[in-house]
Amino acid sequence: MNKSSAINFLKLLAIAATLQACGSSQGKEEKKAEAEEAPAQEVVALKKGVLKTSIDMPGELVAYQQVDLYAKVSSFIKKLYVDIGSEVKAGQLLAVMEAPEYSSQLLGAQSRLQSQEAVYMASKATYKRLLETSKTPGTVSPNELDLAQAKQNSDLAQLESARAAYREVGDNKNYLQIRAPFDGVITARNVSAGAYVGPSGKGSELPVFTLQEQKKLRLAVSVPESYTGVLNNKNEISFTVKAFPGENFTAKVTRLAGALDQRLRSQRTEMDVTNTNKRLLPGMVAEVHIPVSGNDAFVVPSKAVLNSTQGVYLIKVADNKAYWVPVKTGRQADNQTEVFGPLTEGDHIIKAATEEIRDSSAVKTKAI
C-alpha cells in the first residue's frame, strides 16, 4: 500500500467513526426524548365499597283472587243480575236458575217427613201408655214393653232420616242461586237467560261467570337462582307497564316460593300491588326492576381493569414501577367494577390500563 492509499484509508476510518458516534448520540437523545415525552399515567387509590345495581326481568300482573263460577246442579238460567264489568260485593246474588223437579222433590220430602213425624208420635205415645200401665204389677209383660220401646226408637231413626232427606233436597234447591264469594269484578259471562247449565262436563263446559278481585293484584316474577339471595319479604321494588310509559309503580315482596322450579331453575316470587283505582289490569306484562346490593369489595373504574390474553389484571404502581396484579371481577354498574385479588386498600392503580404499560416497567404517574 502506497502512502496516498494509506492516507485515504485513514480518512475513511475517521469519517466512519464520526458517523457512528453521531448515530449513537442521536439514538440516546431520541430515547431520552421519548422517555421525557411519555405521558404521566393517572392513578387512583383503592377503596372498598358496595356496588349497587339492579336487574330487569319480566313479570305478570294477576288478580289477587280469581274464581270461575259454575252451576252446581243441572238447570236452566232464569235470570242474570250482572254482566261483564259489573262490580259486585261478597254474597251478592248474581244469577237464578230454575229446575221444576227440585220443587217436586222438596214437596215429596216434606210429605215423607210429616208422615214419619206422625208415625213417631204414635209409637212414642204407645210406649208412654204401656210404661205407665206397667207400673201396676201383672198388667203388661216386660217383653211387650221392650217391643214398644224398640218401635219408638226405630220410628225416631226413620224420622231423623226423613229430616236429612228434606234438608238435602232443600240444600240442592239453594244451589239454583249463584252468589259472589268475594268483592270483585265480573270479567266474563258465558251464558244468557234460558241456557242449560250444569256441572262442568255435563251441559256447560264454560263457567257461568268469572270473578276477579282487582283492587289488589299480585305481581308474579320468576327470579333466577343466582339472584334468589337478594330478595326477602321486606324488599320494595318498582316496575313499569307498556300501558303507562314513563310511569313507575311500586310493589312489596310478600311471598317467596321457597323452592326452585325444576324446569326453569328459578324461584316464583309474588308481590302485592295496591290497585284501588284499577288502572292496572290482570294479565299485563310488567318490567320489574329489582335492586341488587353487591359485596363489600374493591370498586374501581371499569377502564382500570385490563383484559388481556393472559388473564384479567389491575396495574398497580409502586416506586414508579408498574406491576400487573391478577384479579377476578364481580358486578358492573355505572362504569364501576367489583374486583377481588391480592390488593390492599390505599394501593395506587392506573385508571386507564393498557397492554402498552408492561409489567415491571418504569412509569410516571399523576394523582387525580
Side-chain angles (χ1 to χ4, degrees):
M1 181 182 294
N2 56 26
K3 185 177 180 180
S4 176
S5 297
I7 292 172
N8 290 334
F9 180 72
L10 292 174
K11 288 181 178 180
L12 289 174
L13 288 177
I15 293 171
T18 302
L19 292 175
Q20 184 176 359
C22 291
S24 176
S25 176
Q26 184 177 359
K28 291 180 179 179
E29 290 177 359
E30 289 178 355
K31 289 182 180 180
K32 183 178 180 181
E34 288 178 1
E36 291 176 353
E37 292 175 1
Q41 298 293 329
E42 293 182 344
V43 296
V44 293
L46 275 179
K47 293 181 180 179
K48 283 195 173 183
V50 176
L51 188 63
K52 294 184 178 181
T53 62
S54 66
I55 54 174
D56 297 339
M57 59 183 62
E60 181 184 12
L61 288 168
V62 296
Y64 192 76
Q65 294 186 89
Q66 176 175 324
V67 64
D68 293 331
L69 300 175
Y70 287 88
K72 172 69 174 178
V73 295
S74 298
S75 55
F76 294 91
I77 296 292
K78 183 177 181 180
K79 190 172 183 180
L80 299 174
Y81 293 95
V82 294
D83 209 330
I84 293 176
S86 298
E87 294 190 21
V88 300
K89 298 293 184 180
Q92 181 177 333
L93 183 62
L94 307 181
V96 172
M97 285 85 71
E98 59 181 352
E101 63 271 22
Y102 281 102
S103 297
S104 300
Q105 291 175 9
L106 187 62
L107 289 174
Q110 186 177 10
S111 298
R112 288 189 292 273
L113 175 59
Q114 292 173 346
S115 174
Q116 195 59 46
E117 284 178 342
V119 171
Y120 170 68
M121 294 303 294
S123 62
K124 181 180 179 181
T126 300
Y127 173 71
K128 187 175 181 180
R129 285 194 300 270
L130 289 176
L131 182 62
E132 289 295 326
T133 305
S134 67
K135 293 179 180 179
T136 303
T139 56
V140 178
S141 66
N143 183 57
E144 187 178 359
L145 185 62
D146 290 342
L147 289 175
Q149 185 178 18
K151 180 68 167 59
Q152 174 189 267
N153 293 338
S154 175
D155 290 341
L156 177 60
Q158 293 294 327
L159 176 59
E160 293 297 331
S161 177
R163 285 174 178 169
Y166 179 76
R167 286 195 299 267
E168 180 182 2
V169 176
D171 290 342
N172 285 337
K173 191 173 182 181
N174 290 336
Y175 289 137
L176 295 176
Q177 294 181 347
I178 296 179
R179 296 183 179 272
F182 52 81
D183 295 354
V185 178
I186 301 296
T187 59
R189 176 186 64 81
N190 298 304
V191 298
S192 299
Y196 174 76
V197 294
S200 179
K202 295 182 180 179
S204 179
E205 294 295 336
L206 297 176
V208 179
F209 299 109
T210 297
L211 177 64
Q212 291 183 345
E213 181 181 350
Q214 296 184 357
K215 290 187 177 180
K216 195 176 182 181
L217 301 178
R218 300 172 188 258
L219 178 57
V221 183
S222 294
V223 179
E225 178 182 357
S226 56
Y227 293 103
T228 54
V230 303
L231 287 177
N232 56 54
N233 288 339
K234 297 181 181 179
N235 286 117
E236 193 169 277
I237 59 94
S238 63
F239 66 94
T240 58
V241 294
K242 291 182 179 179
F244 305 102
E247 186 172 353
N248 286 321
F249 300 89
T250 59
K252 186 177 181 181
V253 177
T254 310
R255 288 167 293 277
L256 302 174
L260 297 182
D261 181 272
Q262 295 296 320
R263 182 171 55 89
L264 300 176
R265 294 297 171 184
S266 60
Q267 178 178 235
R268 181 180 174 87
T269 303
E270 288 189 351
M271 309 161 196
D272 287 348
V273 181
T274 301
N275 189 40
T276 307
N277 53 15
K278 292 188 290 187
R279 296 178 67 203
L280 300 172
L281 301 177
M284 282 184 170
V285 176
E287 186 74 16
V288 183
H289 314 293
I290 299 178
V292 179
S293 295
N295 301 312
D296 187 13
F298 291 113
V299 179
V300 300
S302 296
K303 290 183 178 180
V305 180
L306 175 62
N307 290 283
S308 72
T309 56
Q310 301 175 9
V312 181
Y313 299 89
L314 289 183
I315 300 181
K316 174 182 173 181
V317 177
D319 298 329
N320 293 325
K321 283 192 174 183
Y323 299 97
W324 288 23
V325 180
V327 295
K328 292 184 178 180
T329 59
R331 295 188 177 95
Q332 297 183 359
D334 300 328
N335 296 321
Q336 299 286 312
T337 302
E338 291 178 339
V339 293
F340 306 89
L343 301 165
T344 304
E345 192 167 5
D347 286 347
H348 288 84
I349 61 168
I350 291 179
K351 183 179 178 182
T354 65
E355 293 191 63
E356 295 178 359
I357 305 173
R358 305 308 302 165
D359 190 18
S360 301
S361 63
V363 62
K364 290 199 306 181
T365 63
K366 63 177 180 179
I368 60 171

